[in-house]
Amino acid sequence: MRLRKKTRERLFIASFLAGPLAVYIIFVIWPYIETFGYSLTEWTGVAPPSKVVGLKNYVDLFHDESFRHALWHNIFLLIFFPTITIVLAMFFAFMLNVGGRRGGLGGVRGIRGSGVYRVVFFFPQVLSVAILVILFQALFETNNAGFFNGILIKLHITDANHPWEFLNSNTFVLWCILFILVWQWVGFYLVLFSAAMQQIPRDYYEAALLDGAGRIQTYFKVTMPLLWDSVQTAWVYLAVAAMDAFALVANLTPGSNFGGGPDGHGEVLATYLMRNFQTAGKAGYACAMGVVIFFITLILSLVVLRLTRRERLEY
Amino acid sequence: MSEHGLPADVSRRQMLLRSAAVAALAAPAAGLAAGCAAGSGSSPKTNPSTSGSTGSGAADPKNPFGVKDSDPLDVYVFKGGYGDDYAKAFEAMYKQQHSGSNVTHKGSQDVTGDLQPRFNAGNPPDVIDDSGSKQIKLDVLNKGGQLTNLDKLLDAPSIDDPSKKVRDTLLPGTVETGLLGSSMFSLNYAFTVWGLWYSSTLFTKNGWTIPKTWDDFMTLCATIKGTGMAPFCHQGKYPYYMMVPLMDMVAKNGGPDAQTAIDNLEPNAWKSDAVKNSVEALYMLVDKGYMLPGTEGLTHIQSQTQWNQGKAAIIPCGSWLENEQLAATPADFGMAVFAMPSLSGDKMPATAIRAGAGEPFIVPAKAKNQAGGLEFMRIMCSKAGGASFAKTANSLSVVKDSITPDIAASLKPGTKSSNDLYTAANGQIINWYYLNWYSAFATDLENAMSQLMANKIKPDEFITRAQAAADKCAADSSIQKFKRPTT
C-alpha cells in the first residue's frame, strides 16, 4: 500500500524528530509528570514517599501565608523587572544604533563611542552569578565598610551609626534584588534589540528623516513597531526570569538555607520551594509548589504571547 | 533554578553548625529500624570476644583488623571549614605504619555528586568524611546496607594503650552521636566549642577582664563603647549565630526543665522566666547601642573580618572560627573565647558551654580495603591523631587527652582557649535538640531573631513569635516528633 505523499512527508520528518523528542520526553516531560505524582504524596525527600495524601498538599498551599507572600514578591518582580529592563534596553539600543547626530551612512548612526558602550553594557552578562553575588555583597554591605554605605556616610547623607540596610531591610530588599536583576539583564536585551534594529532597512530611517521626523518620533513610529517580535520574546523570557530569581535571592538575602530574609521579606517561590524540599523535609509539599509555579509560568507566557500578538511586517 | 548548585559559603556554615546535628538526627530516625539493624548485625563478627577466639590474625593488637600492607587505601574527605590537610597528615601516619601501601586522597565539597555513583557501582572509597551540605544522609546509606558497623572499631585495642578499647579513648557523647539504632556507624571526629570570642591582646592592653555575669558584661560593653569601639558584632545575615548565645542563656538560666519544655514543643515553653530573662538580656546589646552599626546585615566573613580588624570587640561563634579566619587574623591577635556570662538565678554554672561532636567519618560496607578504612580511623582515634588534627585543622578532636601540655603550648591561641574552656566546663555541656529535629521551627526562630537584632521587634514580640512557631510545629502532623532524652 502506498502512503499518501503528505503522510510520507510527515513520517520522514518524524523520523528525524524521534531522537530529540525522546530525549525531551525522558528528561523534561517525564520529570514534570513525576513531580506531579510526588506532589500527591507525603514525601520527605530522602526515602520513598510514605503515603498518598491526594490533594492535601495543594489545600495546605492555599492556606500557607508564606507561600502567598512569596507569590506576591514574584508578582512584584513580574511587574517591574520586564518593564524596566525592556524600556532601558530599548532606549540604550536606540541610542547606540540610530540615536546619533545626523551624518554617517544614510544619515543614521549611533551616538559617539557606541561600540565601546555596547561592550561595556554586555559585561554583566559575562559575569557568573557567583561573581555577581560577591560583587553585590560588597556593594550593599550594611556597615561603613560597604561601597554604597561608605559613599553615603562620606557625603553625610546617612549617619555612620545607622548605615543603610539594603538587602537586610524589610522594605528595600526586593528593590535591591530588582536593581541587580535589571543591571544584569539590560546589556543582554540591548544586544538583542540592537541586532533587531540593524535588521530594519536604513531606507525607513532615511525616509523618516526626509519627512522631518525627530529622534523621538523615529523611535516611536519606526523602531518600536518593527521591534515588536523581539520585545515579545524579551517579555516572555523576562517574565519567566521574574518568576524564578532563585540564585540571587538564595545567595544575597539574609537567612540560612536559601535566604529569603529578612523575616521572609525577600522570599520568592523558588527559595521557599527549595527550603521545603531540602531543609524542612517536605519534598511532597515542595513538589506541589513546583506544579503550581509551572502552571503560573505557563499561563503567564500564553497571556503575554496572546496579548502582544501583532501583524508581522516582512522586510 | 539551574543555578542552585552555586557558591555559597552558606553551605559550609551549615555543615559546621549542623554537622553534629545531622548525625544526631539520624540516630532517632534510625531508631525505628533498630530492630532490623540489630537482627542483621547479630553475626559473630560484631562480638569482639567471639571474633577474638575464632579469628586467627585478629588478636594482634598492632593490627586488629588484619590490614595487608599491599592493599591500597582510598580516602575521600569533605574539604570544608577544616580543610583537608589534616586528612593528609593521617594518611602519612597510615603509610608509616603500613609501609608500601598506596594511599589515594581526594578532598572535595560535592560529596553526593562524587560518591553516589560510586556507591551505586559498588566501588566506594575505603574511608569517607561524609559531611557538608551535599552529604549523603547517613540513615539513607544505612538503609541501603552501605555502612560498616563501627562497633568493631570501638572494641578494638587503642594504639596508645592496647589494654584500652578505642571506645574508652573518645570524649563522652561521641559514640552516641554516631549511633544508628544500637550500633555506631559514623565516627564524628571534630569537637566544636561555642562561646564569645575576643582578642586577648586587645583586652590585656585595655585592662578589660572577662565578664562572669551579664551585669559585668554590660559594664564591660559600656567601657568598650567609651573607647569608640563597637563592643559586639554578629553574623547577622545568618541569624542562627545569635540563636546560639540566646539558647545558651536559656539553658543556663532555666536548666533541664526549660530545655525539655522547648525541645518537646510543650505549650507555653517560651513563656518561662528563663526565656524572658535571656531575650531581654540579649536585647540590651541592641537597645543600648552596643552592636557594630550594620552588623545585623553582615555575612559571617564580613562580620568576622570586622572583628579581626578591631572594629568590634566580641563575636559569638563556634571553634571553627580560628581556621576560618586564619588569613584575616593579625599575628598578635591572641584569639580567645569565653563562656556566655551568667544571669542571676542560673541553674547551670557560669562555666557551662555548648559543645558537640561533628564531621562524620564512615567506612562503606562495600569498601575494598575495609580493614584499612577501620585502621585509618583507629589512627585518627590515637592521641597522635588527635594532636595532629589540632595542629593541622586548628580544632579539637573527640580524642580524649590528646592535647598534652606540650602540644597545648604549640596550639594556635583560639584552639588552646577553646580547649581550656571545655576543660573548665567540667562536663556541664549544653545541648539543644530542636535545631536538628525541627528545621522549619528553627527557621521561624531565626526569622524572629533577625527582626529582634534589627530592632524591629521587642523581646515580648520575639517570645510571642517563638511560641507561635513552636505551637505551629507541634500541631503539624506531617513532622515527626521526638522526645528529649532524660539524663
Side-chain angles (χ1 to χ4, degrees), chain B residues 100-132:
Chain B
S101 58
N102 185 20
V103 181
T104 49
H105 168 94
K106 182 162 162 84
S108 170
Q109 305 227 341
D110 188 9
V111 181
T112 301
D114 289 345
L115 297 185
Q116 208 169 32
R118 293 189 61 183
F119 270 109
N120 281 314
N123 178 33
D126 301 314
V127 60
I128 302 168
D129 168 15
D130 182 22
S131 195

Side-chain angles (χ1 to χ4, degrees), chain B residues 78 253 336 352:
Chain B
F78 168 72
N253 199 240

Side-chain angles (χ1 to χ4, degrees), chain B residues 270-309:
Chain B
W270 291 83
K271 306 276 178 182
S272 70
D273 286 340
V275 174
K276 198 166 180 305
N277 297 340
S278 307
V279 179
E280 279 171 0
L282 201 69
Y283 178 69
M284 280 185 207
L285 287 168
V286 179
D287 197 37
K288 293 182 190 258
Y290 291 156
M291 291 292 190
L292 175 74
T295 194
E296 64 273 20
L298 297 186
T299 66
H300 55 291
I301 295 297
Q302 287 168 343
S303 55
Q304 287 159 194
T305 305
Q306 294 277 303
W307 169 74
N308 273 144
Q309 290 170 353

